[in-house]
Structures are given as structure tokens and as C-alpha cells.
Amino acid sequence: MRSILITGGAGFIGANFVHYWMNQYKNDKVIVLDALTYAGNLASLEPVKENPNFTFVHGDILNTELVEELLRHHKVDTLVHFAAESHVDRSITGPDAFLETNIMGTHSLLKAAKKVWLDEDLLQGAEHRFHHVSTDEVYGTLSLEDPAFTEETAYAPNSPYAASKAASDHLVRAYNETYGLKTTISNCSNNYGPYHFPEKLIPLVITNILHDKALPIYGDGQQIRDWLYVEDHARGIELVLNKGKVGENYNIGGHNEWHNIDIVKLICLLMDECFANDSTLASCFDTAKAAIAGNSESLITYVKDRPGHDRRYAIDAAKTRTELGYEPAESFETGIRRTIQWYLNNEAWWQAVMDGSYQDWINKQYS
Ligand code: NAD
Ligand code: DAU
């Protein structure tokens, strides 16, 4: 039985991980620490909020004393660190928050873990684990001919977001080498699935089609991303926690490379198909005029490219597969349909996230 502190558990991947974990390990205690930034959403934790093994703490990972207190109070033995500023576009217009949360925030957690687990020996010699959730963006960009990123690929981050994640990975490594903190790191490719904030490509395209708004394609749309269903990321982290070697990095990915323009066209096609097959959708989403007319693709609009835009990401997950037995369970064919269906079924979630009314509610709860 574990006592797990999950940072950023109200965000996209964190919330999916919480659901997955509480379903798999029914006796574990799960404590979520989340600052509820614009990307954090308590509604994403609705399915577990009544579970007696679940605790939500509204707080900042930069608050080292709070983290120490949580580790002691809940006798935490496992920390899984998702909390971050995660959107590349925002890191270009406002990098400071990324350095603050992703670098200083990770360091704050490392300091707290070292103090409570190593200096105070809270667990009296029992195992602890600090797992850091990172990204393939730390490896930089690939050309079409390059082999996929392995754990040996040199770090070459290109955006302030990627640079801040690379710095946090180095700090985690340093705390293992210098102090013997038992750490692991996973570097994952692009995730998609439920509870994904609609500023990221896939949920943006789905919700823009429903609002009959333009689908912005950066540059020529020929950039490539390697998409993984979010629950498969959770399963990968589970394997690293259960079988991974302390001090190691593990790549997690889906062997599922898509050009941006192709993925957008596929979503258009599937959305048109949903509207054609279910006449009730047109009345539920009467603003989705292009989809109702079977022509979502007409919304595609090429716009100015993202500065420093990485051309291609691709993950070689051979180490995670051979050492830990990792294989993604969800095919892209089924995962993308499940995701679209989730957005069609959960309008209240994404409307509230987008119009800010959810944020107003949070402010009232915590003011
Ligand atoms: P997200 O932006 O959806 O969620 C981030 C969460 O962290 C939010 O709930 C937010 O409130 C919380 N948070 C932010 N600053 C905080 C702070 N100072 N203290 C406490 N909580 C704070 O992000 P995501 O897409 O779920 O990504 C989660 C992690 O996975 C990140 O570390 C990201 O770098 C990594 N990652 C993401 C992807 C992806 O495709 N989204 C892929 C690989 C790795
Ligand atoms: O690779 C893992 C990373 O994937 C994570 O570390 C990041 O946290 C996560 O946000 C994601 O980063 P990307 O920049 O790849 O994701 P995003 O959804 O922002 O963009 C995906 C691709 O689509 C990228 O090439 C930019 C492009 N794009 C994006 C948006 C939002 C567009 O063409 N138009 C858009 O409107």
C-alpha cells in the first residue's frame, strides 16, 4: 500500500493519472497538491472526490514548508510530479512563470523530499520514490531522416518551456547523484484524451469545430508529433514506479507519428461523421455549422508559424518496452474516437474551462 503525493493532479495528465491509479490501487492514499492555475480544474477530479482515500490540497509546489508538512502528515512514500506550466506558446510570450514553476518549483519539491525522507528519515529506512514527469521536448527537434529520441539523445531544448523542463530533469538527476534521493524520470511524447485543456491542438480543433471557429495551422502544418493516449502514459509511469531502476530515465511514446495537418483533417472527418450519424448533435451544438454541413475542413486556416517551432518529435521507447514490458494499449484509431466522444459528452467541462466561469468559482471557493 502506498501513500502518494501527486503534484499537478488537477491538470490534464495528472487528473487522468489520479483516476487510473485510484482504480488500480484501491487501498492507496492519494494526495493531490495543485495550485489551480488556469490549467488546473477541480471538475477533472469529480470522479474521485468522495473517495475516502483521496485528499485535495490547494497549494503551490513552491511552498517548500507545505510540501514537507504534507510528506510528514500523510507519511508519503511516493511523489509523482506533474505540476508545471505546460503550454509552449505561453512560454514564448511569458517565460518567467515557466522558470519559476518548472525549475524552482521542482527544486522546492526536491528540497522537501530530501529533508523529510533523507535528513529526517521519516520512513525509517523504508523505500521512497520521487518520480518526475518530463517531456520528449527536452531532446529538441528531429529531421525526417533522424532516428527517434532514445534516453541517450543529448538534451537540446528549443523553447523556454522545453528548456525549463530540461533544467528540472537535471536537478532531479543531481539530487539522485549527490544526495542519494531515489528518483526516476519519464520523458513522454504528446498526450491526448479527456480533460485536455482546449488551448492544445487536439481539444482546440474539436471545440473550435463545435463553435464554428477557424482551425489555426501553424506554418505549413508539416510538423510531426508522436501522439499517445493519456491512459497509456499513466500505465507507463506505473511501470516505472513498480519496476524502474532508481536514477534512470525512461522514454514513453506511442509509435504514432502524425503531421499536424493530417491529424487536423482526420478530426474534421470524424467530427463530420459524428454529426452525420447522430441527428441530435446538430440541436445540441447548433453553432457547429461546418460540421452540420459535413464540411469541418473548410475551417482550416494557415497562420504564422510558432517561433522556434520544432519540426518533428518521435520517441524510441525500446528501453521501457524491454526493461519494463511497456506497450501502449490504446490504438490511435480508437483513442481519437473516444476523445472526440468525450468532448461531445462533456460540454459543461470545456465550456466552463474556456469561458473562465470555472475560474470564478475557484476564486470564490478559495478567497
Ligand atoms: P497541465 O497544464 O494540463 O496541468 C498542469 C497542472 O499543474 C495544473 O493542474 C496546474 O494547476 C498545476 N500547477 C501549475 N503550477 C503549479 C504550482 N506552482 N504548484 C502546484 N500546481 C501547479 O499540464 P499537463 O499537460 O497535464 O502536463 C503535466 C506534466 O506532464 C507536465 O510536467 C508536462 O511537462 C508533462 N508532459 C506533458 C505532455 C503533454 O502532452 N501534455 C507530454 C509529456 C510530458
Ligand atoms: O511533446 C510533448 C509536449 O506536447 C508536452 O511536453 C507539452 O506540454 C504539450 O503541450 C505538447 O506540446 P506541443 O507544442 O507539441 O503541443 P500543442 O498541442 O501546443 O501543439 C501540437 C502541434 O500543433 C505543434 O506542432 C504546434 C501545432 N499547433 C498547435 C496549436 C495550439 C497548431 O498548428 N495550431 C494550434 O493552434
Side-chain angles (χ1 to χ4, degrees):
M1 206 185 90
R2 282 184 169 109
S3 176
I4 305 199
L5 178 61
I6 297 174
T7 71
F12 163 48
I13 307 175
N16 279 286
F17 181 82
V18 169
H19 301 162
Y20 176 81
W21 196 271
M22 297 199 77
N23 199 31
Q24 293 288 112
Y25 301 92
K26 298 208 164 29
N27 295 322
D28 282 6
K29 270 172 68 178
V30 169
I31 304 102
V32 166
L33 172 64
D34 198 295
L36 297 177
T37 66
Y38 80 96
N41 190 336
L42 271 183
S44 307
L45 292 168
E46 276 290 305
V48 295
K49 80 166 199 268
E50 303 299 344
N51 188 318
N53 287 333
F54 175 74
T55 307
F56 179 78
V57 179
H58 183 222
D60 200 313
I61 56 170
L62 282 151
N63 184 345
T64 315
E65 277 175 19
L66 169 67
V67 179
E68 287 170 7
E69 218 22 69
L70 292 175
L71 293 174
R72 290 189 198 103
H73 180 77
H74 296 280
K75 232 171 176 233
V76 169
D77 50 43
T78 307
L79 192 157
V80 185
H81 175 34
F82 292 93
E85 288 295 334
S86 70
H87 192 37
V88 174
D89 290 334
R90 287 181 189 251
S91 84
I92 295 166
T93 51
D96 298 67
F98 287 71
L99 273 61
E100 191 68 17
T101 295
N102 300 358
I103 305 177
M104 298 312 289
T106 302
H107 189 231
S108 162
L109 294 173
L110 288 164
K111 280 192 296 182
K114 171 185 172 291
K115 181 163 181 196
V116 174
W117 284 339
L118 301 182
D119 304 346
E120 296 172 9
D121 194 17
L122 171 84
L123 303 172
Q124 298 178 323
E127 290 296 310
H128 67 260
R129 179 69 69 85
F130 186 111
H131 182 73
H132 177 58
V133 180
S134 192
T135 170
D136 59 359
E137 298 204 13
V138 297
Y139 299 123
T141 187
L142 295 169
S143 71
L144 279 182
E145 298 75 36
D146 285 331
F149 302 127
T150 71
E151 292 80 357
E152 304 304 318
T153 304
Y155 277 27
N158 289 320
S159 70
Y161 161 70
S164 69
K165 291 297 289 187
S168 64
D169 291 12
H170 292 321
L171 283 166
V172 173
R173 179 190 153 84
Y175 265 67
N176 170 252
E177 290 287 336
T178 304
Y179 304 111
L181 193 71
K182 296 193 171 159
T183 62
T184 38
I185 300 176
S186 50
N187 296 87
C188 190
S189 60
N190 285 64
N191 287 212
Y192 71 99
Y195 303 107
H196 203 179
F197 195 87
E199 66 186 348
K200 307 280 171 69
L201 182 70
I202 289 184
L204 178 94
V205 167
I206 298 171
T207 53
N208 277 13
I209 291 174
L210 294 173
H211 284 143
D212 209 40
K213 279 168 60 179
L215 310 179
I217 306 289
Y218 297 166
D220 62 4
Q222 292 302 317
Q223 302 80 11
I224 294 174
R225 296 292 181 268
D226 182 355
W227 293 96
L228 182 74
Y229 193 67
V230 62
E231 203 173 282
D232 280 325
H233 188 180
R235 291 174 53 258
I237 295 171
E238 176 189 24
L239 283 171
V240 176
L241 288 174
N242 289 342
K243 296 193 196 169
K245 282 197 208 112
V246 165
E248 296 279 312
N249 280 56
Y250 292 92
N251 279 355
I252 302 176
H255 273 300
N256 182 39
E257 292 181 51
W258 283 79
H259 288 102
N260 289 344
I261 186 64
D262 294 337
I263 215 160
V264 172
K265 285 186 174 168
L266 174 71
I267 295 170
C268 289
L269 200 81
L270 294 175
M271 291 289 283
D272 290 350
E273 208 178 276
C274 288
F275 276 78
N277 292 339
D278 180 354
S279 56
T280 62
L281 285 179
S283 49
C284 295
F285 300 102
D286 58 353
T287 48
K289 300 211 177 51
I292 293 166
N295 192 20
S296 298
E297 254 194 57
S298 63
L299 299 172
I300 289 177
T301 309
Y302 287 88
V303 299
K304 197 164 159 278
D305 208 354
R306 171 187 278 175
H309 199 171
D310 286 335
R311 199 67 181 164
R312 172 179 168 234
Y313 302 145
I315 276 278
D316 179 343
K319 173 181 172 184
T320 315
R321 186 173 62 246
T322 49
E323 288 186 17
L324 311 182
Y326 177 72
E327 242 2 291
E330 188 80 46
S331 73
F332 189 65
E333 162 90 339
T334 52
I336 193 70
R337 286 174 192 271
R338 272 178 81 176
T339 304
I340 289 174
Q341 201 52 52
W342 188 87
Y343 280 85
L344 292 174
N345 293 343
N346 289 277
E347 188 187 2
W349 181 90
W350 52 265
Q351 287 287 14
V353 166
M354 288 166 84
D355 68 18
S357 58
Y358 181 73
Q359 207 63 35
D360 296 343
W361 181 84
I362 290 169
N363 293 340
K364 277 197 209 105
Q365 298 281 313
Y366 292 100
S367 58

